């Protein structure tokens, strides 16, 4: 008998590579039992990164079963109130990992493991890893249900696939699923910008732009050097959503000036999306406009073909043909053609003349600006191109009565993005007893103050800032506000939610903890409202319970409140 078992084991070992090969050769199935339609596609411009997967429509409501697309095993479960929310990661035998994001809830056996880990770690957010034998799955197995958890604007399934090297892949372009698309991209707007760098530091200015661009019969008179900003989106059969363009290109006569191909982008390159965008169009209008000018610090160089850094140069006074093209991943393309001619006299770039108080910052080295009361340090890689930097402060801005405990510093141009956070130190005249309550404050695009955070160091507050802008030091001595969404001693019906409301007037809520009868309670938080999850196996039923809520803001102010309910 022992010999038979040994023989069977040898056969199994011999067949294992074959089974893996067969599994790896599987044709992926759709993750849903619904017609495939996308609300988002690979390569869309999303904030500070490219969209790395496809968003499958689910009919506008949560609950659609989500299936494993191929055989494999669940290698990771992620639960968070941000990012993918509830997510399942499946490792497949061909080396591909599929990620199913924004799930409404998991199947019971996964949910049980998640809940156990949450109570063990006393944290809603968990990241759990598993081996091949823990949660094996077959193609078509249900792993969860589509929803809108995490950073999601509505119910959908985000399906993302990573290759062996961890790079998100465009699996639609690779032919995983057949999608009908015979609709070319459309242009929302095309802008033209002047360019000058006579002193080695680029300066640009908006010249003109065309909404819903069409070929113009008239000639555009432009400076000797300029570049193009392109706002285009793709359209696809079966959906009205604005999707990603795969290729942007610009040609002058027959010469290629600029060509950006999204391709498959490693997450480490994602931040360079800020360099690829045109600064002012994105800052003021929120427009995702790709610019042909390629900055020297742009990490996406491997995805770009260009001449003269994407700057169009009119070397004579002849009329030239300028063609702008947008192409989707199926080869559908749209083009706009302009007649362009150099101005008789080059126009000066606004602001190009020397101005007092400006200092140069080079893109390829660390930069430090120091003045009386302020220091701003930008690491190497923090700039995508060299810039002129200026700083100014209001002489009479110090006003403790208005909670302004330092000079108000305007530092640099907020339109210019930073590739890495800068360290900002602002000196402040704050009493020793309030050092622990001092924070840095900035202004958003609408001129509204927002808390940056930071800590007291030396003679002021030090904080990491993600952009140029206006900053000052304030203090926060007021604790967060906490209230219950039920009356004292109220009876909570089975299946109903228990709510707590928490907010902070200034520096922002940093953390909170809720206990029921001295035991940590599992909660979710959204828009100042905390939902307390009442587990029948954790708290006695038909009993009076004591609930305690403690909260702290970013300035260290704390509050604790207690209440009672019957459940």
């Amino acid at each position: 008998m022992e010999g038979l078992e040994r023989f069977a084991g040898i056969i199994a070992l011999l067949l294992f590579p074959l089974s893996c090969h067969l599994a790896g050769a599987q044709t992926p199935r759709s993750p849903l039992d619904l017609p495939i339609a996308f609300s988002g596609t690979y390569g869309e411009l999303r904030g500070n990164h490219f969209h790395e997967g496809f968003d499958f429509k689910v009919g506008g409501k949560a609950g659609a079963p989500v299936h494993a697309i191929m055989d494999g095993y669940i290698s990771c479960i992620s639960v968070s109130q941000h990012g993918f929310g509830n997510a399942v990661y499946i490792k497949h035998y061909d080396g591909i990992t599929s990620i199913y994001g924004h799930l409404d809830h998991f199947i019971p056996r996964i949910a049980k493991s998640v809940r156990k880990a949450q109570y063990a770690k006393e944290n809603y957010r968990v990241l759990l890893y598993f081996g091949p034998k823990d949660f094996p799955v077959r193609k078509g197995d249900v792993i969860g249900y589509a929803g809108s958890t995490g950073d999601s604007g509505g119910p959908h399934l985000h399906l993302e696939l990573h290759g062996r090297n961890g790079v998100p892949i465009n699996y639609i372009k690779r032919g995983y699923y057949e999608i009908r698309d015979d609709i070319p991209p459309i242009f929302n707007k095309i802008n033209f910008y002047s360019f000058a760098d006579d002193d080695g530091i680029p300066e640009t200015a908006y010249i003109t732009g065309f909404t819903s661009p069409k070929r113009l019969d008239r000639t555009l008179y432009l400076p000797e050097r300029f570049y193009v900003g392109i706002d285009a989106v793709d359209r696809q059969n079966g959906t009205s959503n604005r999707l990603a363009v795969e290729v942007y290109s610009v040609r002058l006569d027959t010469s290629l000036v600029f060509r950006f191909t999204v391709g498959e982008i490693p997450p480490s390159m994602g931040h360079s999306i800020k360099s690829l965008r045109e600064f002012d169009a994105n800052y003021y209008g929120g427009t995702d406009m790709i610019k042909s000018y390629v900055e020297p610090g742009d990490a996406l160089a491997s995805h770009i073909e260009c001449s003269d850094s994407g700057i169009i140069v009119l070397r004579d006074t002849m009329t030239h043909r300028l063609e702008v093209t947008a192409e989707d991943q199926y080869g559908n393309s749209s083009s706009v053609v302009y007649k362009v001619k150099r101005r008789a006299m080059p126009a000066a770039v606004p602001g190009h003349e020397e101005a007092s108080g400006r200092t140069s910052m080079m893109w390829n080295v660390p930069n430090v600006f120091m003045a009386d009361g302020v220091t701003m340090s930008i690491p190497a890689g923090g700039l995508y191109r060299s810039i002129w930097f200026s700083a100014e402060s209001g002489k009479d801005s110090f006003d403790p009565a208005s909670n302004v405990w330092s000079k108000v510093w305007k530092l640099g141009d907020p339109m210019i993005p930073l590739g890495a956070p800068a360290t900002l130190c602002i000196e402040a005249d704050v009493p020793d007893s309030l050092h622990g309550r001092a924070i840095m404050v900035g202004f958003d695009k609408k001129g509204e103050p927002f808390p940056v955070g930071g800590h007291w160091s030396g003679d002021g507050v030090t904080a990491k800032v993600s952009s140029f802008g206006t900053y000052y030091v304030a203090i926060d001595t007021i604790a967060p506000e906490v209230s219950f969404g039920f009356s004292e001693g109220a009876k909570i019906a089975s299946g109903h939610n228990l709510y707590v409301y928490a907010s902070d007037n200034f520096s922002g809520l940093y953390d909170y903890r809720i206990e029921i009868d001295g035991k940590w309670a599992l909660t979710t938080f959204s828009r100042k409202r905390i939902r307390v999850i009442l587990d029948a196996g954790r708290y006695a039923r038909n009993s009076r319970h004591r609930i305690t809520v403690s909260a702290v803001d970013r300035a260290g102010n704390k509050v604790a409140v207690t209440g009672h309910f019957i459940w």
Side-chain angles (χ1 to χ4, degrees), residues 61-316:
K61 59 183 180 180
V66 176
H67 303 268
I69 63 170
M70 293 182 293
D71 292 353
Y73 67 93
I74 294 175
S75 59
C76 179
I77 300 291
S78 174
V79 177
S80 172
Q81 295 186 176
H82 302 288
F84 288 154
N86 296 331
V88 172
Y89 295 64
I90 297 179
K91 186 78 170 179
H92 302 286
Y93 299 115
D94 61 357
I96 297 293
T97 297
S98 56
I99 305 169
Y100 310 76
H102 308 301
L103 300 178
D104 183 75
H105 59 285
F106 304 110
I107 59 174
R109 65 191 182 115
I110 296 176
K112 184 178 179 180
S113 293
V114 168
R115 188 58 54 89
K116 181 179 178 181
Q118 288 173 323
Y119 282 121
K121 299 175 182 293
E122 294 193 348
N123 199 328
Y124 175 81
R125 182 176 181 176
V126 292
L127 188 63
L128 309 177
Y129 295 97
F130 304 99
K133 296 181 180 180
D134 295 322
F135 285 108
V137 293
R138 299 296 299 272
K139 173 182 172 180
D141 285 352
V142 175
I143 56 172
Y145 300 86
S148 188
T149 57
D151 295 326
S152 169
H156 70 282
L157 171 67
H158 175 89
L159 177 62
E160 188 170 310
L161 269 62
H162 289 196
R164 292 177 183 272
N165 58 0
V167 175
I169 67 175
N170 186 335
Y171 51 88
I172 298 298
K173 192 171 183 180
R174 292 194 183 194
Y176 273 51
Y177 308 114
E178 289 188 14
I179 305 297
R180 182 189 172 198
D181 184 356
D182 53 22
I183 304 174
I186 61 172
F187 293 100
N188 293 322
K189 193 169 187 180
I190 293 177
N191 285 354
F192 294 86
Y193 298 86
S194 62
F195 178 88
D197 64 347
D198 298 337
D199 47 21
I201 297 180
E203 296 201 60
T204 67
Y206 170 78
I207 303 171
T208 189
F210 302 94
T211 303
S212 300
K214 298 179 180 179
R215 179 171 181 161
L216 299 179
D217 292 330
R218 64 185 176 87
T219 300
L220 294 179
Y221 288 88
L222 299 169
E224 180 181 358
R225 292 194 295 168
F226 66 94
Y227 64 90
V228 179
I230 311 165
D231 176 13
V233 295
D234 188 32
R235 296 295 191 184
Q236 197 173 96
N237 302 73
T239 178
S240 60
N241 291 80
R242 299 152 62 92
L243 306 175
V245 170
E246 172 73 7
V247 182
Y248 301 80
S249 61
V250 178
R251 288 182 176 274
L252 183 66
D253 298 323
T254 60
S255 299
L256 179 68
V257 177
F258 170 82
R259 180 183 177 91
F260 169 65
T261 303
V262 174
E264 295 179 348
I265 297 177
S268 60
M269 291 185 181
H271 72 87
S272 276
I273 193 172
K274 294 185 288 186
S275 175
L276 197 64
R277 285 191 177 109
E278 173 51 39
F279 296 162
D280 68 346
N282 181 251
Y283 184 82
Y284 285 116
T287 301
D288 286 323
M289 180 169 280
I290 297 294
K291 65 175 182 285
S292 68
Y293 166 44
V294 183
E295 298 172 312
D298 190 341
L300 293 166
S302 59
H303 292 250
I304 297 173
E305 301 172 65
C306 67
S307 60
D308 294 315
S309 298
I311 302 299
I312 297 104
V313 183
L314 300 177
R315 305 183 188 279
D316 54 43

Side-chain angles (χ1 to χ4, degrees), residues 295-530:
E295 298 172 312
D298 190 341
L300 293 166
S302 59
H303 292 250
I304 297 173
E305 301 172 65
C306 67
S307 60
D308 294 315
S309 298
I311 302 299
I312 297 104
V313 183
L314 300 177
R315 305 183 188 279
D316 54 43
T317 57
M318 303 290 290
T319 299
H320 295 270
R321 181 181 188 272
L322 183 74
E323 182 179 19
V324 180
T325 302
E327 181 180 324
D328 67 19
Q329 60 185 350
Y330 302 97
N332 303 303
S333 66
S334 298
S335 296
V336 179
V337 176
Y338 298 98
K339 292 183 291 185
V340 297
K341 189 173 183 178
R342 194 177 77 188
R343 289 173 179 156
M345 292 294 292
V349 176
H352 183 61
E353 67 279 356
E354 286 292 340
S356 61
R358 297 198 306 175
T359 182
S360 61
M361 287 188 171
M362 301 294 107
W363 70 271
N364 57 342
V365 296
N367 292 274
V368 178
F369 170 79
M370 299 181 67
D372 184 21
V374 66
T375 301
M376 190 174 202
S377 303
I378 303 172
L383 295 174
Y384 295 108
R385 74 185 191 198
S386 299
I387 64 169
W388 286 113
F389 175 87
S390 62
E392 59 181 273
S393 65
K395 295 181 180 179
D396 301 320
S397 54
F398 176 80
D399 183 11
S402 300
N403 201 16
V404 179
W405 294 79
S406 70
K407 292 180 179 178
V408 177
W409 284 95
K410 183 179 180 182
L411 302 165
D413 184 347
M415 287 194 305
I416 298 176
L418 290 175
T423 301
L424 178 60
C425 305
I426 297 180
E427 295 181 8
D429 189 10
V430 174
D432 293 351
S433 60
L434 295 177
H435 284 180
R437 300 291 181 263
I439 64 168
M440 193 171 294
V441 176
F443 288 98
D444 62 19
K445 289 186 288 188
K446 296 180 180 179
E448 297 294 329
F450 67 92
V452 176
H455 62 278
W456 188 268
S457 176
D459 296 323
V461 172
T462 298
K464 293 286 187 180
V465 296
S466 58
S467 65
F468 293 118
T470 302
Y471 299 94
Y472 66 97
V473 172
I475 62 171
D476 182 2
T477 59
I478 301 174
E481 293 184 1
V482 173
S483 63
F484 295 113
F486 54 92
S487 58
E488 172 64 17
K491 184 174 182 179
I492 308 300
S494 176
H496 285 211
N497 291 312
L498 189 69
Y499 290 107
V500 175
Y501 297 88
S503 62
D504 188 73
N505 71 315
F506 190 58
S507 62
L509 190 67
Y510 176 70
D511 198 9
Y512 69 88
R513 179 182 176 89
I514 295 182
E515 293 182 353
I516 296 177
D517 301 334
K519 296 179 181 179
W520 177 81
L522 181 61
T523 64
T524 62
F525 181 84
S526 177
R527 298 177 182 177
K528 302 181 181 181
R529 189 174 74 167
I530 303 169

